[in-house]
Amino acid sequence: DVKVTQSSRYLVKRTGEKVFLECVQDMDHENMFWYRQDPGLGLRLIYFSYDVKMKEKGDIPEGYSVSREKKERFSLILESASTNQTSMYLCASSFSGGGGRTYEQYFGPGTRLTVT
Amino acid sequence: GNSVTQMEGPVTLSEEAFLTINCTYTATGYPSLFWYVQYPGEGLQLLLKATKADDKGSNKGFEATYRKETTSFHLEKGSVQVSDSAVYFCALSSGESGTGTASKLTFGTGTRLQVTL
């Protein structure tokens, strides 16, 4: 069974704190993704990575950075947390597409982050 | 750019009722289409997918047919159960093959389904 785990289910941080969200997958997937989920907005892509040390901005990268030093681990960093970053954060992973094939994404359980 | 439009929820049905959740999309090229489901307190999981026009994806009694002429991928189930209560997301992928973008997904806003006895 594919497993994507996230370091915390719930997290409460103060404004201005540096926040690390960790994600680990055990299926040797090349691609990893960070989304935030907000009511009425669905899932929005923050960053993704298609290989170790490689990253690309998604639709809403402002205020976030990422790190991928090992293939199985993808970290999301909030350099200085703000209240508008209160949200559910979902990590996902997948194999790379090739020959026109699209592979499904496997999701972790999510981290509900509250910034006060 | 790519976009996915889903019908707004919440959708409330009685058990054994027929379900339709509408999904339409805008994309260049030939996207793959997906339905994901999110049960309370969990992450998303793939429900079904279709990779080319006229394909029908099916799983757990749910079905959706890839209609290129109407750019739609509506989700249907003939008889819903209380255990189907969840949020359903329609998504598409139309990245270029052979690159990391091939697996990027564009999601709809989600439709909450509540099934009552």
Side-chain angles (χ1 to χ4, degrees), chain A residues 46-82:
Chain A
I46 304 171
Y47 267 97
F48 75 103
S49 169
Y50 52 91
D51 202 351
V52 175
K53 296 191 188 294
M54 307 304 287
K55 61 186 178 185
E56 279 194 27
K57 293 180 180 179
D59 302 317
I60 52 163
E62 298 77 20
Y64 303 94
S65 62
V66 291
S67 172
R68 191 158 180 212
E69 296 296 319
K70 293 185 177 182
K71 191 174 185 180
E72 68 270 18
R73 188 178 297 269
F74 191 35
S75 302
L76 180 69
I77 303 153
L78 287 66
E79 294 289 343
S80 177
S82 63

PDB file of all heavy atoms in Angstrom, chain A residues 46-82:
ATOM      1  N   ILE A  46       0.724  24.798  -4.236  1.00  0.00           N
ATOM      2  CA  ILE A  46       1.689  25.774  -3.716  1.00  0.00           C
ATOM      3  C   ILE A  46       3.035  25.594  -4.426  1.00  0.00           C
ATOM      4  O   ILE A  46       3.573  26.528  -5.021  1.00  0.00           O
ATOM      5  CB  ILE A  46       1.868  25.604  -2.196  1.00  0.00           C
ATOM      6  CG1 ILE A  46       0.520  25.723  -1.479  1.00  0.00           C
ATOM      7  CG2 ILE A  46       2.836  26.656  -1.660  1.00  0.00           C
ATOM      8  CD1 ILE A  46       0.580  25.361   0.003  1.00  0.00           C
ATOM      9  N   TYR A  47       3.581  24.399  -4.337  1.00  0.00           N
ATOM     10  CA  TYR A  47       4.842  24.046  -4.982  1.00  0.00           C
ATOM     11  C   TYR A  47       4.789  22.572  -5.343  1.00  0.00           C
ATOM     12  O   TYR A  47       4.051  21.799  -4.728  1.00  0.00           O
ATOM     13  CB  TYR A  47       6.025  24.231  -4.007  1.00  0.00           C
ATOM     14  CG  TYR A  47       6.717  25.563  -4.063  1.00  0.00           C
ATOM     15  CD1 TYR A  47       6.393  26.566  -3.155  1.00  0.00           C
ATOM     16  CD2 TYR A  47       7.724  25.812  -4.987  1.00  0.00           C
ATOM     17  CE1 TYR A  47       7.032  27.791  -3.181  1.00  0.00           C
ATOM     18  CE2 TYR A  47       8.384  27.039  -5.020  1.00  0.00           C
ATOM     19  CZ  TYR A  47       8.025  28.029  -4.114  1.00  0.00           C
ATOM     20  OH  TYR A  47       8.676  29.230  -4.141  1.00  0.00           O
ATOM     21  N   PHE A  48       5.587  22.197  -6.313  1.00  0.00           N
ATOM     22  CA  PHE A  48       5.806  20.788  -6.535  1.00  0.00           C
ATOM     23  C   PHE A  48       7.264  20.523  -6.893  1.00  0.00           C
ATOM     24  O   PHE A  48       8.015  21.454  -7.229  1.00  0.00           O
ATOM     25  CB  PHE A  48       4.849  20.226  -7.585  1.00  0.00           C
ATOM     26  CG  PHE A  48       5.169  20.588  -9.007  1.00  0.00           C
ATOM     27  CD1 PHE A  48       5.776  19.666  -9.844  1.00  0.00           C
ATOM     28  CD2 PHE A  48       4.819  21.826  -9.520  1.00  0.00           C
ATOM     29  CE1 PHE A  48       6.056  19.980 -11.163  1.00  0.00           C
ATOM     30  CE2 PHE A  48       5.099  22.151 -10.829  1.00  0.00           C
ATOM     31  CZ  PHE A  48       5.710  21.222 -11.659  1.00  0.00           C
ATOM     32  N   SER A  49       7.639  19.273  -6.796  1.00  0.00           N
ATOM     33  CA  SER A  49       9.011  18.858  -7.053  1.00  0.00           C
ATOM     34  C   SER A  49       8.982  17.607  -7.912  1.00  0.00           C
ATOM     35  O   SER A  49       8.248  16.670  -7.612  1.00  0.00           O
ATOM     36  CB  SER A  49       9.726  18.570  -5.738  1.00  0.00           C
ATOM     37  OG  SER A  49      10.958  17.926  -5.971  1.00  0.00           O
ATOM     38  N   TYR A  50       9.762  17.590  -8.988  1.00  0.00           N
ATOM     39  CA  TYR A  50       9.784  16.433  -9.872  1.00  0.00           C
ATOM     40  C   TYR A  50      11.078  15.626  -9.742  1.00  0.00           C
ATOM     41  O   TYR A  50      11.280  14.641 -10.461  1.00  0.00           O
ATOM     42  CB  TYR A  50       9.537  16.843 -11.328  1.00  0.00           C
ATOM     43  CG  TYR A  50      10.438  17.953 -11.818  1.00  0.00           C
ATOM     44  CD1 TYR A  50      11.651  17.660 -12.425  1.00  0.00           C
ATOM     45  CD2 TYR A  50      10.065  19.288 -11.679  1.00  0.00           C
ATOM     46  CE1 TYR A  50      12.472  18.666 -12.871  1.00  0.00           C
ATOM     47  CE2 TYR A  50      10.890  20.304 -12.120  1.00  0.00           C
ATOM     48  CZ  TYR A  50      12.091  19.992 -12.716  1.00  0.00           C
ATOM     49  OH  TYR A  50      12.910  21.001 -13.160  1.00  0.00           O
ATOM     50  N   ASP A  51      11.941  16.039  -8.823  1.00  0.00           N
ATOM     51  CA  ASP A  51      13.165  15.283  -8.574  1.00  0.00           C
ATOM     52  C   ASP A  51      13.837  15.884  -7.349  1.00  0.00           C
ATOM     53  O   ASP A  51      13.516  17.009  -6.930  1.00  0.00           O
ATOM     54  CB  ASP A  51      14.087  15.365  -9.788  1.00  0.00           C
ATOM     55  CG  ASP A  51      15.099  14.236  -9.849  1.00  0.00           C
ATOM     56  OD1 ASP A  51      15.218  13.474  -8.857  1.00  0.00           O
ATOM     57  OD2 ASP A  51      15.770  14.096 -10.887  1.00  0.00           O
ATOM     58  N   VAL A  52      14.798  15.160  -6.815  1.00  0.00           N
ATOM     59  CA  VAL A  52      15.541  15.672  -5.660  1.00  0.00           C
ATOM     60  C   VAL A  52      16.173  17.015  -6.015  1.00  0.00           C
ATOM     61  O   VAL A  52      16.728  17.172  -7.109  1.00  0.00           O
ATOM     62  CB  VAL A  52      16.614  14.656  -5.238  1.00  0.00           C
ATOM     63  CG1 VAL A  52      17.472  15.234  -4.119  1.00  0.00           C
ATOM     64  CG2 VAL A  52      15.969  13.361  -4.792  1.00  0.00           C
ATOM     65  N   LYS A  53      16.021  17.959  -5.110  1.00  0.00           N
ATOM     66  CA  LYS A  53      16.563  19.316  -5.240  1.00  0.00           C
ATOM     67  C   LYS A  53      15.913  20.134  -6.363  1.00  0.00           C
ATOM     68  O   LYS A  53      16.315  21.260  -6.614  1.00  0.00           O
ATOM     69  CB  LYS A  53      18.083  19.295  -5.435  1.00  0.00           C
ATOM     70  CG  LYS A  53      18.835  18.723  -4.246  1.00  0.00           C
ATOM     71  CD  LYS A  53      20.329  18.966  -4.368  1.00  0.00           C
ATOM     72  CE  LYS A  53      21.111  18.223  -3.296  1.00  0.00           C
ATOM     73  NZ  LYS A  53      20.818  18.752  -1.946  1.00  0.00           N
ATOM     74  N   MET A  54      14.921  19.582  -7.044  1.00  0.00           N
ATOM     75  CA  MET A  54      14.224  20.323  -8.088  1.00  0.00           C
ATOM     76  C   MET A  54      12.858  20.737  -7.570  1.00  0.00           C
ATOM     77  O   MET A  54      12.188  19.959  -6.871  1.00  0.00           O
ATOM     78  CB  MET A  54      14.054  19.465  -9.343  1.00  0.00           C
ATOM     79  CG  MET A  54      15.343  18.861  -9.871  1.00  0.00           C
ATOM     80  SD  MET A  54      16.607  20.097 -10.224  1.00  0.00           S
ATOM     81  CE  MET A  54      15.921  20.815 -11.709  1.00  0.00           C
ATOM     82  N   LYS A  55      12.451  21.955  -7.927  1.00  0.00           N
ATOM     83  CA  LYS A  55      11.160  22.449  -7.480  1.00  0.00           C
ATOM     84  C   LYS A  55      10.611  23.411  -8.510  1.00  0.00           C
ATOM     85  O   LYS A  55      11.357  24.033  -9.264  1.00  0.00           O
ATOM     86  CB  LYS A  55      11.280  23.129  -6.126  1.00  0.00           C
ATOM     87  CG  LYS A  55      12.205  24.346  -6.144  1.00  0.00           C
ATOM     88  CD  LYS A  55      12.423  24.904  -4.773  1.00  0.00           C
ATOM     89  CE  LYS A  55      13.383  26.095  -4.825  1.00  0.00           C
ATOM     90  NZ  LYS A  55      13.731  26.615  -3.496  1.00  0.00           N
ATOM     91  N   GLU A  56       9.296  23.534  -8.509  1.00  0.00           N
ATOM     92  CA  GLU A  56       8.646  24.521  -9.357  1.00  0.00           C
ATOM     93  C   GLU A  56       7.512  25.174  -8.583  1.00  0.00           C
ATOM     94  O   GLU A  56       6.840  24.504  -7.785  1.00  0.00           O
ATOM     95  CB  GLU A  56       8.059  23.870 -10.623  1.00  0.00           C
ATOM     96  CG  GLU A  56       9.073  23.625 -11.707  1.00  0.00           C
ATOM     97  CD  GLU A  56       8.434  23.315 -13.045  1.00  0.00           C
ATOM     98  OE1 GLU A  56       7.286  23.763 -13.286  1.00  0.00           O
ATOM     99  OE2 GLU A  56       9.080  22.626 -13.842  1.00  0.00           O
ATOM    100  N   LYS A  57       7.302  26.438  -8.838  1.00  0.00           N
ATOM    101  CA  LYS A  57       6.201  27.139  -8.193  1.00  0.00           C
ATOM    102  C   LYS A  57       4.876  26.651  -8.758  1.00  0.00           C
ATOM    103  O   LYS A  57       4.754  26.372  -9.946  1.00  0.00           O
ATOM    104  CB  LYS A  57       6.335  28.642  -8.429  1.00  0.00           C
ATOM    105  CG  LYS A  57       7.538  29.259  -7.738  1.00  0.00           C
ATOM    106  CD  LYS A  57       7.605  30.738  -8.018  1.00  0.00           C
ATOM    107  CE  LYS A  57       8.823  31.351  -7.320  1.00  0.00           C
ATOM    108  NZ  LYS A  57       8.931  32.799  -7.604  1.00  0.00           N
ATOM    109  N   GLY A  58       3.916  26.590  -7.857  1.00  0.00           N
ATOM    110  CA  GLY A  58       2.563  26.295  -8.279  1.00  0.00           C
ATOM    111  C   GLY A  58       1.788  27.580  -8.479  1.00  0.00           C
ATOM    112  O   GLY A  58       2.329  28.597  -8.902  1.00  0.00           O
ATOM    113  N   ASP A  59       0.518  27.550  -8.120  1.00  0.00           N
ATOM    114  CA  ASP A  59      -0.346  28.700  -8.360  1.00  0.00           C
ATOM    115  C   ASP A  59      -0.260  29.766  -7.276  1.00  0.00           C
ATOM    116  O   ASP A  59      -0.527  30.936  -7.531  1.00  0.00           O
ATOM    117  CB  ASP A  59      -1.793  28.229  -8.494  1.00  0.00           C
ATOM    118  CG  ASP A  59      -1.963  27.227  -9.613  1.00  0.00           C
ATOM    119  OD1 ASP A  59      -1.372  27.457 -10.690  1.00  0.00           O
ATOM    120  OD2 ASP A  59      -2.650  26.214  -9.419  1.00  0.00           O
ATOM    121  N   ILE A  60       0.108  29.359  -6.058  1.00  0.00           N
ATOM    122  CA  ILE A  60       0.116  30.313  -4.932  1.00  0.00           C
ATOM    123  C   ILE A  60       1.379  30.146  -4.085  1.00  0.00           C
ATOM    124  O   ILE A  60       1.320  29.843  -2.913  1.00  0.00           O
ATOM    125  CB  ILE A  60      -1.152  30.155  -4.054  1.00  0.00           C
ATOM    126  CG1 ILE A  60      -1.342  28.683  -3.628  1.00  0.00           C
ATOM    127  CG2 ILE A  60      -2.389  30.652  -4.789  1.00  0.00           C
ATOM    128  CD1 ILE A  60      -2.286  28.530  -2.464  1.00  0.00           C
ATOM    129  N   PRO A  61       2.569  30.387  -4.638  1.00  0.00           N
ATOM    130  CA  PRO A  61       3.809  30.149  -3.890  1.00  0.00           C
ATOM    131  C   PRO A  61       4.193  31.240  -2.897  1.00  0.00           C
ATOM    132  O   PRO A  61       5.075  31.026  -2.058  1.00  0.00           O
ATOM    133  CB  PRO A  61       4.844  30.078  -5.012  1.00  0.00           C
ATOM    134  CG  PRO A  61       4.304  31.000  -6.062  1.00  0.00           C
ATOM    135  CD  PRO A  61       2.789  30.833  -6.010  1.00  0.00           C
ATOM    136  N   GLU A  62       3.547  32.388  -2.969  1.00  0.00           N
ATOM    137  CA  GLU A  62       3.962  33.526  -2.143  1.00  0.00           C
ATOM    138  C   GLU A  62       3.841  33.198  -0.660  1.00  0.00           C
ATOM    139  O   GLU A  62       2.801  32.752  -0.195  1.00  0.00           O
ATOM    140  CB  GLU A  62       3.119  34.769  -2.472  1.00  0.00           C
ATOM    141  CG  GLU A  62       3.253  35.279  -3.898  1.00  0.00           C
ATOM    142  CD  GLU A  62       2.475  34.450  -4.903  1.00  0.00           C
ATOM    143  OE1 GLU A  62       1.537  33.722  -4.492  1.00  0.00           O
ATOM    144  OE2 GLU A  62       2.801  34.515  -6.095  1.00  0.00           O
ATOM    145  N   GLY A  63       4.916  33.464   0.064  1.00  0.00           N
ATOM    146  CA  GLY A  63       4.927  33.234   1.502  1.00  0.00           C
ATOM    147  C   GLY A  63       5.379  31.836   1.898  1.00  0.00           C
ATOM    148  O   GLY A  63       5.446  31.522   3.083  1.00  0.00           O
ATOM    149  N   TYR A  64       5.691  31.010   0.892  1.00  0.00           N
ATOM    150  CA  TYR A  64       6.105  29.628   1.139  1.00  0.00           C
ATOM    151  C   TYR A  64       7.432  29.335   0.442  1.00  0.00           C
ATOM    152  O   TYR A  64       7.763  29.958  -0.563  1.00  0.00           O
ATOM    153  CB  TYR A  64       5.054  28.644   0.602  1.00  0.00           C
ATOM    154  CG  TYR A  64       3.675  28.818   1.145  1.00  0.00           C
ATOM    155  CD1 TYR A  64       2.736  29.596   0.465  1.00  0.00           C
ATOM    156  CD2 TYR A  64       3.287  28.207   2.332  1.00  0.00           C
ATOM    157  CE1 TYR A  64       1.455  29.759   0.941  1.00  0.00           C
ATOM    158  CE2 TYR A  64       2.005  28.364   2.819  1.00  0.00           C
ATOM    159  CZ  TYR A  64       1.097  29.145   2.117  1.00  0.00           C
ATOM    160  OH  TYR A  64      -0.182  29.303   2.608  1.00  0.00           O
ATOM    161  N   SER A  65       8.151  28.357   0.975  1.00  0.00           N
ATOM    162  CA  SER A  65       9.291  27.784   0.268  1.00  0.00           C
ATOM    163  C   SER A  65       9.260  26.281   0.519  1.00  0.00           C
ATOM    164  O   SER A  65       8.490  25.799   1.361  1.00  0.00           O
ATOM    165  CB  SER A  65      10.613  28.401   0.734  1.00  0.00           C
ATOM    166  OG  SER A  65      10.820  28.126   2.105  1.00  0.00           O
ATOM    167  N   VAL A  66      10.077  25.547  -0.226  1.00  0.00           N
ATOM    168  CA  VAL A  66      10.097  24.086  -0.086  1.00  0.00           C
ATOM    169  C   VAL A  66      11.527  23.589  -0.121  1.00  0.00           C
ATOM    170  O   VAL A  66      12.441  24.281  -0.559  1.00  0.00           O
ATOM    171  CB  VAL A  66       9.277  23.385  -1.195  1.00  0.00           C
ATOM    172  CG1 VAL A  66       7.793  23.631  -1.043  1.00  0.00           C
ATOM    173  CG2 VAL A  66       9.771  23.806  -2.579  1.00  0.00           C
ATOM    174  N   SER A  67      11.667  22.353   0.327  1.00  0.00           N
ATOM    175  CA  SER A  67      12.969  21.705   0.304  1.00  0.00           C
ATOM    176  C   SER A  67      12.780  20.233  -0.005  1.00  0.00           C
ATOM    177  O   SER A  67      11.915  19.579   0.588  1.00  0.00           O
ATOM    178  CB  SER A  67      13.646  21.871   1.670  1.00  0.00           C
ATOM    179  OG  SER A  67      14.822  21.094   1.737  1.00  0.00           O
ATOM    180  N   ARG A  68      13.610  19.720  -0.926  1.00  0.00           N
ATOM    181  CA  ARG A  68      13.584  18.285  -1.206  1.00  0.00           C
ATOM    182  C   ARG A  68      15.025  17.796  -1.315  1.00  0.00           C
ATOM    183  O   ARG A  68      15.617  17.824  -2.389  1.00  0.00           O
ATOM    184  CB  ARG A  68      12.800  17.981  -2.474  1.00  0.00           C
ATOM    185  CG  ARG A  68      12.553  16.477  -2.618  1.00  0.00           C
ATOM    186  CD  ARG A  68      11.412  16.182  -3.492  1.00  0.00           C
ATOM    187  NE  ARG A  68      11.179  14.764  -3.627  1.00  0.00           N
ATOM    188  CZ  ARG A  68      10.697  14.226  -4.728  1.00  0.00           C
ATOM    189  NH1 ARG A  68      10.423  14.975  -5.779  1.00  0.00           N
ATOM    190  NH2 ARG A  68      10.487  12.933  -4.781  1.00  0.00           N
ATOM    191  N   GLU A  69      15.560  17.358  -0.209  1.00  0.00           N
ATOM    192  CA  GLU A  69      16.935  16.877  -0.145  1.00  0.00           C
ATOM    193  C   GLU A  69      17.036  15.376  -0.391  1.00  0.00           C
ATOM    194  O   GLU A  69      18.069  14.869  -0.821  1.00  0.00           O
ATOM    195  CB  GLU A  69      17.545  17.209   1.227  1.00  0.00           C
ATOM    196  CG  GLU A  69      17.649  18.706   1.485  1.00  0.00           C
ATOM    197  CD  GLU A  69      18.600  19.385   0.519  1.00  0.00           C
ATOM    198  OE1 GLU A  69      19.670  18.811   0.229  1.00  0.00           O
ATOM    199  OE2 GLU A  69      18.272  20.482   0.043  1.00  0.00           O
ATOM    200  N   LYS A  70      15.945  14.664  -0.115  1.00  0.00           N
ATOM    201  CA  LYS A  70      15.887  13.224  -0.373  1.00  0.00           C
ATOM    202  C   LYS A  70      14.614  12.925  -1.157  1.00  0.00           C
ATOM    203  O   LYS A  70      13.617  13.638  -1.037  1.00  0.00           O
ATOM    204  CB  LYS A  70      15.888  12.437   0.942  1.00  0.00           C
ATOM    205  CG  LYS A  70      17.182  12.534   1.714  1.00  0.00           C
ATOM    206  CD  LYS A  70      17.147  11.629   2.933  1.00  0.00           C
ATOM    207  CE  LYS A  70      18.479  11.675   3.654  1.00  0.00           C
ATOM    208  NZ  LYS A  70      18.501  10.772   4.829  1.00  0.00           N
ATOM    209  N   LYS A  71      14.656  11.861  -1.909  1.00  0.00           N
ATOM    210  CA  LYS A  71      13.544  11.557  -2.811  1.00  0.00           C
ATOM    211  C   LYS A  71      12.235  11.356  -2.050  1.00  0.00           C
ATOM    212  O   LYS A  71      11.168  11.718  -2.532  1.00  0.00           O
ATOM    213  CB  LYS A  71      13.869  10.302  -3.622  1.00  0.00           C
ATOM    214  CG  LYS A  71      12.908  10.052  -4.767  1.00  0.00           C
ATOM    215  CD  LYS A  71      13.378   8.875  -5.604  1.00  0.00           C
ATOM    216  CE  LYS A  71      12.490   8.701  -6.830  1.00  0.00           C
ATOM    217  NZ  LYS A  71      12.940   7.559  -7.668  1.00  0.00           N
ATOM    218  N   GLU A  72      12.314  10.767  -0.862  1.00  0.00           N
ATOM    219  CA  GLU A  72      11.084  10.418  -0.162  1.00  0.00           C
ATOM    220  C   GLU A  72      10.507  11.553   0.683  1.00  0.00           C
ATOM    221  O   GLU A  72       9.419  11.424   1.214  1.00  0.00           O
ATOM    222  CB  GLU A  72      11.332   9.200   0.730  1.00  0.00           C
ATOM    223  CG  GLU A  72      12.258   9.443   1.912  1.00  0.00           C
ATOM    224  CD  GLU A  72      13.728   9.196   1.584  1.00  0.00           C
ATOM    225  OE1 GLU A  72      14.068   9.174   0.375  1.00  0.00           O
ATOM    226  OE2 GLU A  72      14.513   9.033   2.532  1.00  0.00           O
ATOM    227  N   ARG A  73      11.212  12.650   0.809  1.00  0.00           N
ATOM    228  CA  ARG A  73      10.812  13.690   1.762  1.00  0.00           C
ATOM    229  C   ARG A  73      10.694  15.051   1.088  1.00  0.00           C
ATOM    230  O   ARG A  73      11.583  15.478   0.357  1.00  0.00           O
ATOM    231  CB  ARG A  73      11.846  13.760   2.889  1.00  0.00           C
ATOM    232  CG  ARG A  73      11.468  14.648   4.050  1.00  0.00           C
ATOM    233  CD  ARG A  73      12.566  14.577   5.108  1.00  0.00           C
ATOM    234  NE  ARG A  73      12.716  13.239   5.646  1.00  0.00           N
ATOM    235  CZ  ARG A  73      12.082  12.775   6.712  1.00  0.00           C
ATOM    236  NH1 ARG A  73      11.244  13.557   7.373  1.00  0.00           N
ATOM    237  NH2 ARG A  73      12.289  11.546   7.135  1.00  0.00           N
ATOM    238  N   PHE A  74       9.585  15.733   1.378  1.00  0.00           N
ATOM    239  CA  PHE A  74       9.325  17.038   0.777  1.00  0.00           C
ATOM    240  C   PHE A  74       8.789  17.947   1.874  1.00  0.00           C
ATOM    241  O   PHE A  74       7.761  17.646   2.491  1.00  0.00           O
ATOM    242  CB  PHE A  74       8.306  16.886  -0.356  1.00  0.00           C
ATOM    243  CG  PHE A  74       8.129  18.087  -1.252  1.00  0.00           C
ATOM    244  CD1 PHE A  74       9.187  18.904  -1.581  1.00  0.00           C
ATOM    245  CD2 PHE A  74       6.880  18.365  -1.808  1.00  0.00           C
ATOM    246  CE1 PHE A  74       9.029  19.982  -2.430  1.00  0.00           C
ATOM    247  CE2 PHE A  74       6.710  19.439  -2.669  1.00  0.00           C
ATOM    248  CZ  PHE A  74       7.786  20.254  -2.974  1.00  0.00           C
ATOM    249  N   SER A  75       9.487  19.026   2.141  1.00  0.00           N
ATOM    250  CA  SER A  75       9.137  19.908   3.250  1.00  0.00           C
ATOM    251  C   SER A  75       8.568  21.222   2.739  1.00  0.00           C
ATOM    252  O   SER A  75       9.069  21.780   1.759  1.00  0.00           O
ATOM    253  CB  SER A  75      10.375  20.202   4.104  1.00  0.00           C
ATOM    254  OG  SER A  75      10.930  19.010   4.591  1.00  0.00           O
ATOM    255  N   LEU A  76       7.558  21.693   3.411  1.00  0.00           N
ATOM    256  CA  LEU A  76       6.976  23.012   3.134  1.00  0.00           C
ATOM    257  C   LEU A  76       7.347  23.933   4.282  1.00  0.00           C
ATOM    258  O   LEU A  76       7.191  23.569   5.449  1.00  0.00           O
ATOM    259  CB  LEU A  76       5.462  22.918   3.014  1.00  0.00           C
ATOM    260  CG  LEU A  76       4.717  24.222   2.736  1.00  0.00           C
ATOM    261  CD1 LEU A  76       5.022  24.709   1.313  1.00  0.00           C
ATOM    262  CD2 LEU A  76       3.209  24.030   2.913  1.00  0.00           C
ATOM    263  N   ILE A  77       7.840  25.110   3.943  1.00  0.00           N
ATOM    264  CA  ILE A  77       8.318  26.046   4.966  1.00  0.00           C
ATOM    265  C   ILE A  77       7.562  27.368   4.857  1.00  0.00           C
ATOM    266  O   ILE A  77       7.448  27.934   3.765  1.00  0.00           O
ATOM    267  CB  ILE A  77       9.827  26.294   4.782  1.00  0.00           C
ATOM    268  CG1 ILE A  77      10.581  24.969   4.841  1.00  0.00           C
ATOM    269  CG2 ILE A  77      10.352  27.248   5.869  1.00  0.00           C
ATOM    270  CD1 ILE A  77      11.865  24.952   4.076  1.00  0.00           C
ATOM    271  N   LEU A  78       7.045  27.794   5.987  1.00  0.00           N
ATOM    272  CA  LEU A  78       6.456  29.127   6.082  1.00  0.00           C
ATOM    273  C   LEU A  78       7.469  29.979   6.835  1.00  0.00           C
ATOM    274  O   LEU A  78       7.686  29.782   8.033  1.00  0.00           O
ATOM    275  CB  LEU A  78       5.131  29.095   6.835  1.00  0.00           C
ATOM    276  CG  LEU A  78       3.914  28.491   6.133  1.00  0.00           C
ATOM    277  CD1 LEU A  78       4.082  26.996   5.896  1.00  0.00           C
ATOM    278  CD2 LEU A  78       2.649  28.759   6.936  1.00  0.00           C
ATOM    279  N   GLU A  79       8.152  30.857   6.128  1.00  0.00           N
ATOM    280  CA  GLU A  79       9.269  31.608   6.719  1.00  0.00           C
ATOM    281  C   GLU A  79       8.814  32.486   7.884  1.00  0.00           C
ATOM    282  O   GLU A  79       9.496  32.616   8.882  1.00  0.00           O
ATOM    283  CB  GLU A  79       9.934  32.464   5.649  1.00  0.00           C
ATOM    284  CG  GLU A  79      10.632  31.667   4.557  1.00  0.00           C
ATOM    285  CD  GLU A  79      11.904  30.971   5.046  1.00  0.00           C
ATOM    286  OE1 GLU A  79      12.423  31.346   6.119  1.00  0.00           O
ATOM    287  OE2 GLU A  79      12.370  30.037   4.360  1.00  0.00           O
ATOM    288  N   SER A  80       7.645  33.081   7.735  1.00  0.00           N
ATOM    289  CA  SER A  80       7.097  33.949   8.786  1.00  0.00           C
ATOM    290  C   SER A  80       5.577  33.818   8.718  1.00  0.00           C
ATOM    291  O   SER A  80       4.937  34.496   7.911  1.00  0.00           O
ATOM    292  CB  SER A  80       7.543  35.394   8.565  1.00  0.00           C
ATOM    293  OG  SER A  80       6.974  36.237   9.534  1.00  0.00           O
ATOM    294  N   ALA A  81       5.047  32.930   9.530  1.00  0.00           N
ATOM    295  CA  ALA A  81       3.626  32.583   9.422  1.00  0.00           C
ATOM    296  C   ALA A  81       2.730  33.803   9.632  1.00  0.00           C
ATOM    297  O   ALA A  81       3.005  34.670  10.484  1.00  0.00           O
ATOM    298  CB  ALA A  81       3.286  31.506  10.440  1.00  0.00           C
ATOM    299  N   SER A  82       1.666  33.831   8.848  1.00  0.00           N
ATOM    300  CA  SER A  82       0.667  34.897   8.994  1.00  0.00           C
ATOM    301  C   SER A  82      -0.714  34.264   9.124  1.00  0.00           C
ATOM    302  O   SER A  82      -0.923  33.102   8.744  1.00  0.00           O
ATOM    303  CB  SER A  82       0.709  35.851   7.799  1.00  0.00           C
ATOM    304  OG  SER A  82       0.366  35.158   6.625  1.00  0.00           O
TER     305      SER A  82
END
